[in-house]
Amino acid sequence: MDYYNYPVDKILDKFKTSSKGLSQQEAEKRLEKYGLNEIKEEKKISPFQIFFNQFKSPLIIILLSAIILTLIIGEYTDSVLIAIIVIVNALLGFAQEYKAEKSIEALKKLTSLKATVVRDGKKERILAKELVPGDIIRLEEGEKIPADARLIEVISLETHESALTGESTSVVKEINEIKENKSVAEQYNMIFSGTVITKGRGKAIVVRTGMKTEIGKIAEMMQSEKKEQTPLQITLAKFGKILGIAILVVCIIVFLTGILRGNNFVEMFEAAIALAVAAIPEGLPAVVTITLALGVTRLVRKNALVRKLHSVETLGCTNVICTDKTGTLTKDEMTVKEIFVNNQLIKVTGQGYSRKGIFLDAKPKDYEFLLKASILCNNASITHKQVFGDPTEIALLVCSAKAGLFREKLEQEFPRIHEIPFDSERKMMTTVHKNKDKEIAFVKGGPKQVIDNCSFYYENGKIIRLTKSKKEEFLEKNREMASKALRVLAMAFRELPKKIKYSTETIEKDLVFVGFTGMIDPPRAEINDAIRLCRKAGIRVIMLTGDQKTTAKAIGIQIGLINRDDKVITGMDIMDLSNKEFDNIIKDVHIFARISPKDKIRIVDSLKKYGNVVAMTGDGVNDAPALKKADIGIAMGITGTDVSKEASDMILTDDNFASIVNVIKEGRGIYDNIKKFVEYLLSSNLGEILVIFIAMLIGMPLPLIAIHILWINLATDGLPALALSVDPTEPGIMERKPRKKDSKIFSKNIVLRMMAVGIIMCVGTLLFFNLGLARKQNIVGEEIIIDDETVDTWSYTGTYNNFIKNNPFTGSYEIDKIINEKKEILLKLPRTLAFVVLMLFQMFNVLNCRSERNSIFRIGVFSNRHLIGAITISILLQLAVIYTPLATSFKTVPLSLIDLVYVVLMSSTVLIFGEIIKLIRNKMKRPIED
């Protein structure tokens, strides 16, 4: 039932109540029937669930598998290292997400208050959650409304509903029924849970409680919205699956190849495990998580507080921003921009409630009397720290303060002795003041209503008779100001005869018209530049507001979002459209006015349907469902409600739309850096895979053992990869179009470069491994003597089998142990050379990965000091496992100085190759693929 469509008596009958309220007994029955007036809470996600969710990534599952396999073959050190990485990654993700999913609790805060109710004809205070449909509630200025209710009595009642509807000004309430179908913002005889009474008092009958209220409907929409995975999560999940399958296939090939060549089963199983360890980028999940966490820290300095870790990366591919108007594009502070007085239009500078501003091309005597009238006929108050009252009246006081006029001083000269409050029928407010022996009435209100009650006008200190033509001239000026979306108020005064009876009939007639004030909730100063930057970056901006169509269009034109000829669509326009018709409209429209929370979700849904990555900004309760539905929800930190903040992925701490542009730039930079270190880790791992794989195929011993690969992947690779995450943003990043949601993390060029780098690493590492073998030929040529039988060191299978045949009672375990010990001693030097050259290959490769196109010398070798420090530490760590007692655990031997020089020369070839490729591509001027 649309309660605003029916008269008060019918509503009372519907709920079987009267002005005396329900009986206590009836109220208890209804409480049992309808339930408590509170928001039902969906099942919470426990901290344990949040923690265990961190282990669902395919990459993490692969690492968990590696822990099990390394335990099986007895490589406990490797198992511990991988386990530490997995746990650290999980703890980082848990810490960032622990505070998420609290939007319903915030909604409950809105209803956890008390209400004044009439029951059994008596007034009493009860908990708001005990209200039931049919209760009669009393309303007072400053109170928060506890339930949706139909008004039955109003005395100058106004409410502020911007948190629910987006309407920036207070709404004047009435009790008359409304016959047409209206949006929430236009139901003037209704009040809504969670909104605030800014003026007056009244009575109302509760018609909806709990989840049936407008706030309850929003809570229900939020509960039904499930957050989708971010583009990076989707990309890494796909990558993890492909990598897992590839690792499994390669390991099986190597294992079967070795078995078919006659190699020992256990040895080939260990070789396959070593290959799997080489293939898995153990540090990748942790580095991605740490990079996003570091990005979160940097974004705090740019006035953005990120609540959900992967939202950082989503910013980089955002191509549509759906923004609320009130409090986002504007300051939610009504500001007087023009005054019409003494037959001239005067512009007023300044923004919001700041007292900084001037009156252009005018002298104080031109406008002072108008401002005095606006101060005296006013119930708001302002101090240096706070403002109180109706936003319209606050704007008048702030405007007067710019001229050095203040209420406290003026009321000493003109003390108030009477007031006739504003009401929706008269659309005027009058105050009576004493000045010496005179009584003067000051009036403000709707332009037409005030002028209709005027017989004179005030100009240059003179009172002149108001003619019909002059009256039409003033009304035309009102229409001109209103066409700019200004809210226009008229000011008038009258010197009252002595001993007059105070009433609207006796006072509000034969008034003297003084002038108009035109105010608006103005755009933020920096918005125009932000809109231009968004266009340059390929980002479409759409305004979604509950405000009037004319106001929305005027703001849109002022900020450069639309031209004068562009259409503005309202919620009523789209109400009956099919989804197909709606999808066609949304392609071209940049402003939607008078829309509901459901409309906002429909808009976001339609945009996402066509592959757009949508960011939604907002500050009100009405924005919360769309914030949750969007790919990234951005709430306002200062003016934002608790509900909008808890539904969001990110909060702007300065409420500045322009900050979003800086945040998107940072998001793009973070994603670029993720690409850099993923390329670095994978190209390095590819080199490791090829080294093991090729060695197995051609019958060589393992050039590297599992602990070497783990050390490179975790200890020495980890720090440079992490340092890449803070690489400075490349020039022109905001001149690129946003990447597509389903775009691959690597372009074809990067894939080819990774393959080439992997091959160079493989060839160089195997070359040095063979050089090491050749230098130890005199030892390699020796044979192991066991009971007069010889067993060749490298291909011992044949003689080993002969030995077993001839000595069936000798234990094979002891023979294997002797052979393996001898082999390990002989392989220490070649493996140390391979270990060091492969590690240094990767140190040079990290410099390659800093840019896809620009030379390392152009972007500056030392421009990322963190990276230089990380490379230095990694090299020192590598030297530590060769030249300290750690060498025993890592099965390495010290290298000579000449060995180190050759190793450095070989490993630098990967950087030389990368620089040549970039030089050739720049000469050919080939574009970089996304």
Side-chain angles (χ1 to χ4, degrees), residues 298-357:
R298 288 201 302 277
L299 287 172
V300 168
R301 294 195 289 270
K302 296 183 183 291
N303 304 309
L305 179 64
V306 176
R307 299 180 63 248
K308 295 173 185 175
L309 202 58
H310 279 272
S311 305
V312 177
E313 171 274 330
T314 309
L315 289 163
C317 55
T318 297
N319 66 332
V320 179
I321 300 174
C322 292
T323 174
D324 182 37
K325 178 186 74 68
T326 306
T328 308
L329 296 174
T330 66
K331 296 191 73 174
D332 197 12
E333 295 177 355
M334 293 297 287
T335 308
V336 175
K337 302 303 286 183
E338 292 180 356
I339 58 175
F340 175 74
V341 65
N342 285 332
N343 212 31
Q344 64 173 334
L345 193 66
I346 300 169
K347 301 279 187 185
V348 185
T349 66
Q351 272 208 335
Y353 295 157
S354 168
R355 300 178 192 184
K356 294 179 181 178

Side-chain angles (χ1 to χ4, degrees), residues 371-382:
L371 297 181
K372 285 179 180 179
S374 70
I375 291 173
L376 294 168
C377 189
N378 197 312
N379 285 328
S381 64
I382 60 172

